[in-house]
Amino acid sequence: MPGAPSALHSARKAAGDMLDQQGLTLVACSGGADSLALAAAAAWHHQRTSGPSATARVGGIVVDHHLHPDSVEISGRAVSQLKDLGLDPVRIYPATVRSDSPLGPEAAARTGRYQAFREAMQDLGATRIMLAHTKDDQVEQVLLGLARGSGTRSLAGIPAARGPFRRPLLDLSRADTESICRHHGLDWWDDPANADPRYLRSKIRTQVLPYLERELSGSIRESLARTAKIAAADADYLESQAKDVFPALLEDPDHTGALRLKLKALRAEPPAIRRRVIALAVAAAGGPNPSFERLSATEKLVTGSRSAGPVELEGHIRVHRGARQSPDYGKLVIVPPSG
């Protein structure tokens, strides 16, 4: 298209690669520049009459968190622009945001948002949802991971694909999405919360990153985005190795549903694999991904701690080492909540 920013062509290609050619893909739109730019890129495929994406169906979902006094007007304007772009169907879904969430307002909003996404997929028969995270979001996520000290997977940042969710714009910047919006004459909304330093991510965006660019390197964003790609490849490989090892170390569960891992073989695995196998066993027992502290305490049961446990994990999962002269000797036992 003459005069179109180069970012638009990149966005169209990335969106096309992630569309479900056989089903309905929804674009999640907040009314901000990132999500409107993604909607414009996806809509181009929706409107095509020839080529590999000619049959692609693209709709839109606007999630209203009701956290801003003008949220109804903002959501309505987003819906109008999505329809003008040709997306169909387009719906608004409310998000339930618990004000008393122990995880804080950002996590509470995210939980409510993803619940709305899944509800929309079920109601509309969609198979995928596209989310408009950009390179800037990725960089912020890497810094959050560094601050939390939470390992390779956290440094890998935001995945391009997980379950039904796709993120085509991770190689584009916010400046790119704004140029796409200007090209299409789209009127985006700047959420004031994005610049509010009371929120950790906003503080990273408005204070930490500008400081690092000024004092450390003007190319810090590119460096952190590259770190995320390298860490993601490493994490994917280690997780695939752990998934291959896990079945060989796992014994058949008994009537209580408890899982047992062969202790000697688990101890022989490299730490990076061993920790991931333990996490897989915890997930198989119905627990959430264990924190680093709880996972480290569990690993000590494997590597020679005098204590045989139990170690209490999140989700009421208990882990202990089998006692001598018991049927569980030489095994790491993961007991589910009902066990």
Side-chain angles (χ1 to χ4, degrees):
M1 180 184 297
S6 60
L8 178 57
H9 300 290
S10 298
R12 285 175 176 172
K13 183 181 186 309
D17 289 342
M18 292 191 174
L19 286 174
D20 184 348
Q21 303 299 335
Q22 306 302 319
L24 172 63
T25 302
L26 296 176
V27 175
C29 184
S30 66
D34 298 344
S35 54
L36 284 173
L38 176 57
W44 183 74
H45 296 276
H46 183 72
Q47 296 165 349
R48 295 190 74 186
T49 58
S50 62
S53 59
T55 59
R57 297 171 55 223
V58 186
I61 169 180
V62 177
V63 177
D64 188 347
H65 299 80
H66 298 288
L67 296 176
H68 190 278
D70 299 326
S71 67
V72 173
E73 178 185 347
I74 293 164
S75 297
R77 187 162 65 244
V79 165
S80 177
Q81 294 189 92
L82 293 180
K83 289 182 176 179
D84 288 344
L85 286 168
L87 271 61
D88 181 53
V90 177
R91 299 284 190 277
I92 297 178
Y93 278 77
T96 301
V97 182
R98 287 182 51 194
S99 59
D100 61 344
S101 171
L103 301 176
E106 291 174 285
R110 183 182 186 279
T111 298
R113 185 162 57 250
Y114 275 80
Q115 288 174 343
F117 290 159
R118 291 185 173 90
E119 183 181 349
M121 289 185 68
Q122 184 174 1
D123 289 349
L124 302 176
T127 54
R128 291 183 186 175
I129 287 190
M130 285 188 175
L131 306 176
H133 295 96
T134 65
K135 183 189 296 184
D136 297 82
D137 296 304
Q138 186 72 290
V139 167
E140 292 158 13
Q141 190 66 28
V142 172
L143 284 177
L144 283 169
L146 282 169
R148 291 167 180 158
S150 42
T152 309
R153 176 48 69 191
S154 185
L155 288 181
I158 306 168
R162 177 177 290 169
F165 301 104
R166 300 292 185 274
R167 299 174 177 86
L169 303 186
L170 288 176
D171 287 331
L172 273 68
S173 67
R174 285 203 182 97
D176 290 331
T177 63
E178 289 179 3
S179 73
I180 292 171
C181 287
R182 283 191 290 269
H183 175 78
H184 283 279
L186 297 170
D187 180 22
W188 70 85
W189 176 64
D190 287 316
D191 186 349
N194 289 335
D196 188 341
R198 290 178 300 173
Y199 302 112
L200 181 56
R201 183 179 287 276
S202 299
K203 181 177 288 188
I204 287 174
R205 180 179 302 140
T206 60
Q207 297 180 10
V208 176
L209 269 169
Y211 176 83
L212 292 176
E213 286 179 313
R214 184 174 63 252
E215 302 293 336
L216 187 60
S217 170
S219 60
I220 188 69
R221 293 174 190 265
E222 292 297 328
S223 298
L224 290 171
R226 186 166 60 249
T227 295
K229 286 188 176 182
I230 294 169
D234 290 351
D236 287 346
Y237 175 75
L238 290 169
E239 287 164 13
S240 69
Q241 292 293 102
K243 288 177 181 177
D244 288 343
V245 168
F246 178 49
L249 301 184
L250 181 66
E251 295 193 351
D252 292 335
D254 61 16
H255 66 281
T256 69
L259 302 180
R260 291 163 175 81
L261 296 172
K262 299 170 186 176
L263 203 55
K264 184 177 181 180
L266 181 59
R267 189 181 297 126
E269 292 294 332
I273 302 299
R274 185 165 59 230
R275 287 191 291 267
R276 285 170 169 81
V277 169
I278 294 170
L280 287 171
V282 171
N289 193 44
S291 67
F292 175 77
E293 290 76 15
R294 293 293 83 199
L295 189 58
S296 296
T298 302
E299 190 180 16
K300 287 179 181 178
L301 299 178
V302 179
T303 56
S305 168
R306 290 186 178 182
S307 170
V311 173
E312 302 285 342
L313 301 182
E314 297 87 347
H316 305 289
I317 300 289
R318 288 180 293 114
V319 185
H320 67 270
R321 191 173 65 229
R324 288 182 181 275
Q325 298 179 343
S326 79
D328 286 334
Y329 182 66
K331 302 167 188 174
L332 186 72
V333 184
I334 299 96
V335 183
S338 58

